[in-house]
Amino acid sequence: MAERMLKFVATPQRTPDKRSAAERSGDWDEIYREFSAERATEQASRCSQCGVPFCQVHCPLGNNIPDWLKLTAEGRLEEAYEVASATNTFPEICGRICPQDRLCEGNCVIEKGFESVTIGAVEKYITDTAFEKGWVRPPSPQRELPYSVGIIGAGPGGLAAAEQLRRQGYAVDLYDRYDRPGGLMIYGIPNFKLEKPVVLRRWDLYRAAGIRFHMDCAVGKDISLAELRNRHDAVLIATGVYKARELGGPGSGLSGIVPALDYLTASNRSGLGDSVPAFADGTLNAAGRKVVVIGGGDTAMDCVRTAIRQGATSVTCLYRRDKANMPGSMREVKHAEEEGVRFEWLAAPEAFLGDRAVAGVRAVRMHLGLPDPAGRQQVEPIAGSAFTVEADLVIKALGFDPEDVPAMFGETGLAVTRWGTLKVDHRTMMTSVPGVFAAGDIVRGASLVVWAIRDGRDAAAQMHRFIQEKAAATVAVAAE
């Protein structure tokens, strides 16, 4: 049905309708409306079905994007879902939160004058339709295997590995220190980007498939890694990285200066109906306050847009580089600007003002200098350029580092890199402890959900190989 494709020459790019800034700033709903079937089909038909699909090449999961776009254009949605889910454990989540402008859509080969294909929105439409139609089923195996695996961390990497291993027939146990699975997808990403039922419905599917969840279970405290190794044939560490990077300088110890994840977790927990004292008493609540967020990544954008919805009187983002060098998604920056966030580009905090509680941030203007060894321009302060931004809540969104996993798990044999991440053999994804694997941010450092999914799926394949080779070796020894 080639005539259904290549419509980009006559059909303009269109995303789902976006709610007005005034409307969406007053609630926590996702900002885009649903794609209609007609619109999704129309936008999918813009794909050029090119011979070398750069969208697929630049997708960490290698998703077969042209294939499921063609199937969507032809109205074959159930097949489109099967193709999309073959390489992506959570297409409905990636369709919402992946920075498509930097990955698939940003590398679409259609000339920029025609604009790229609307990939993310179509992916979301396919999977949401699949859930509505009942096409998404628990990952049940064809046969049960006499082996079990333990997975530490129920974030995207751990969940992706759990699904793959369960499909192959392993007994799967997931251990997580939080009360709900999902990791940052539940507690770190705001509802207006990813509504929580979208994540939690996967929990229902996995439990129906026989995956056992051990929530509120902190490995190293409630159970040891040694116990998990004795209990399971292989163990995967997929804990992510949660330790906030510190911000020094005069006044950095004042009250009212809080880590981004603490702030976002309090907001998300409150939205889920949990009792959050620090949210209720205003410690982690921006309502009626002058907010300054320091940082330029996607977490910073989550914070500024959360503060707007909580009713902050003003929200300012300080970032030491310019807009073009910002690591976060440009779409998120645009959304934030529309919603009333003020950006101070090329500005870095110098000191925090106040007696006991923060009352302002003294910042200094920066300019971009010569490239560093990695090729990125260095930033240098401009003498005499200091200025002050009023603030009674400052949120540090400077990124995350790994916790001391060997100490936390009581396993000194776990080797780490100089950055504190777990050291693995990148061919097998196994750590320095035999039978213990690692995947996701705890190996690569703070990164995207889509990379955690990729790593989780890869780790599952390596764990399967390890267990099968070990079983074969045992049989061979017994036969001698």
Side-chain angles (χ1 to χ4, degrees):
M1 302 292 289
E3 68 275 9
R4 293 185 183 273
M5 309 308 292
L6 295 152
K7 298 292 183 67
F8 68 90
V9 295
T11 302
Q13 180 198 62
R14 292 188 67 179
T15 60
D17 294 334
K18 185 165 62 173
R19 297 190 296 138
S20 69
E23 178 187 358
R24 68 185 192 245
S25 297
D27 61 40
W28 295 90
D29 297 339
E30 292 182 5
I31 72 170
Y32 286 104
R33 303 190 190 280
E34 296 295 323
F35 246 159
S36 66
E38 180 181 6
R39 179 75 64 79
T41 298
E42 172 195 78
Q43 289 300 306
S45 72
R46 297 183 69 248
C47 177
S48 67
Q49 296 290 294
C50 54
V52 181
F54 283 9
C55 58
Q56 183 173 345
V57 170
H58 288 272
C59 172
L61 288 164
N63 286 332
N64 300 311
I65 296 168
D67 291 348
W68 51 253
L69 284 172
K70 186 172 185 291
L71 290 166
T72 302
E74 295 172 355
R76 298 158 63 186
L77 283 183
E78 188 168 4
E79 293 170 82
Y81 171 70
E82 292 298 330
V83 173
S85 61
T87 54
N88 189 351
T89 312
F90 310 116
E92 74 281 12
I93 291 172
C94 289
R96 285 170 163 85
I97 65 173
C98 263
Q100 291 97 4
D101 55 327
R102 300 205 312 262
L103 299 173
C104 54
E105 294 179 19
N107 290 281
C108 180
V109 300
I110 293 175
E111 293 183 30
K112 295 306 174 185
F114 292 102
E115 301 299 336
S116 63
V117 178
T118 312
I119 296 169
V122 174
E123 182 178 38
K124 172 180 176 290
Y125 167 77
I126 292 169
T127 318
D128 285 352
T129 301
F131 271 100
E132 290 169 12
K133 300 289 188 181
W135 301 336
V136 186
R137 300 179 183 89
S140 302
Q142 292 185 342
R143 65 187 179 96
E144 298 287 346
L145 299 176
Y147 309 107
S148 73
V149 295
I151 299 174
I152 306 170
L159 291 173
E163 177 173 321
Q164 295 300 301
L165 289 163
R166 183 61 191 137
R167 284 189 187 281
Q168 290 172 313
Y170 292 94
V172 179
D173 288 78
L174 267 160
Y175 303 85
D176 196 282
R177 58 184 170 182
Y178 292 109
D179 56 344
R180 299 176 180 91
L184 289 178
M185 296 188 297
I186 285 287
Y187 293 122
I189 298 175
N191 226 47
F192 52 81
K193 286 175 62 177
L194 179 59
E195 293 177 348
K196 303 313 166 208
V198 173
V199 181
L200 295 175
R201 65 189 177 188
R202 285 282 179 182
W203 188 13
D204 295 334
L205 282 172
Y206 291 160
R207 286 186 292 190
I211 296 174
R212 294 184 291 267
F213 287 82
H214 307 266
M215 308 311 296
D216 291 311
C217 180
V219 176
K221 178 182 177 184
D222 300 312
I223 190 171
S224 69
L225 180 59
E227 288 177 87
L228 294 185
R229 293 180 65 202
N230 289 330
R231 183 181 297 181
H232 301 290
D233 295 285
V235 174
L236 173 66
I237 300 173
T239 54
V241 293
Y242 290 92
K243 183 180 176 183
R245 290 177 184 160
E246 287 304 319
L247 183 66
S252 59
L254 292 169
S255 66
I257 303 175
V258 301
L261 189 55
D262 290 0
Y263 172 70
L264 292 172
T265 299
S267 178
N268 281 311
R269 279 195 175 279
S270 177
L272 286 162
D274 296 349
S275 174
V276 186
F279 183 85
D281 67 18
T283 304
L284 294 174
N285 189 342
R289 304 176 76 176
K290 298 173 183 175
V291 178
V292 169
V293 176
I294 300 170
D298 289 333
T299 299
M301 295 306 96
D302 291 344
C303 290
V304 295
R305 299 181 65 204
T306 294
I308 289 288
R309 284 158 177 77
Q310 288 178 348
T313 57
S314 67
V315 181
T316 303
C317 180
L318 292 181
Y319 181 55
R320 61 180 184 160
R321 299 181 187 274
D322 60 7
K323 188 174 182 178
N325 284 282
M326 190 175 185
S329 167
M330 285 297 105
R331 287 182 182 173
E332 288 297 304
V333 176
K334 183 179 180 181
H335 297 332
E337 289 174 330
E338 292 170 349
E339 292 165 7
V341 176
R342 180 167 67 96
F343 285 85
E344 290 284 359
W345 306 109
L346 290 166
E350 187 177 59
F352 301 93
L353 312 177
D355 296 326
R356 295 183 179 179
V358 67
V361 180
R362 189 172 73 231
V364 61
R365 298 290 180 189
M366 313 292 286
H367 73 86
L368 297 175
L370 296 173
D372 61 18
R376 196 176 189 197
Q377 283 181 284
Q378 301 179 68
V379 289
E380 300 170 357
I382 299 174
S385 65
F387 65 101
T388 299
V389 181
E390 288 185 274
D392 48 14
L393 177 62
V394 175
I395 301 170
K396 302 176 292 183
L398 304 169
F400 306 100
D401 288 321
E403 298 174 82
D404 187 345
V405 177
M408 184 170 63
F409 287 176
E411 182 57 73
T412 57
L414 281 172
V416 298
T417 68
R418 60 192 177 98
W419 299 282
T421 53
L422 287 181
K423 185 179 289 186
V424 298
D425 181 328
H426 288 284
R427 294 168 298 176
T428 65
M429 303 186 77
M430 192 185 299
T431 68
S432 54
V433 177
V436 177
F437 298 76
D441 289 2
I442 196 60
V443 174
R444 68 169 62 244
S447 188
L448 301 173
V449 166
V450 67
W451 276 113
I453 297 170
R454 163 68 183 271
D455 292 348
R457 293 173 70 103
D458 288 349
Q462 294 301 326
M463 293 169 75
H464 171 65
R465 180 179 178 181
F466 168 80
I467 293 171
Q468 295 303 312
E469 287 180 350
K470 186 177 178 181
T474 301
V475 170
V477 170
E480 291 179 354

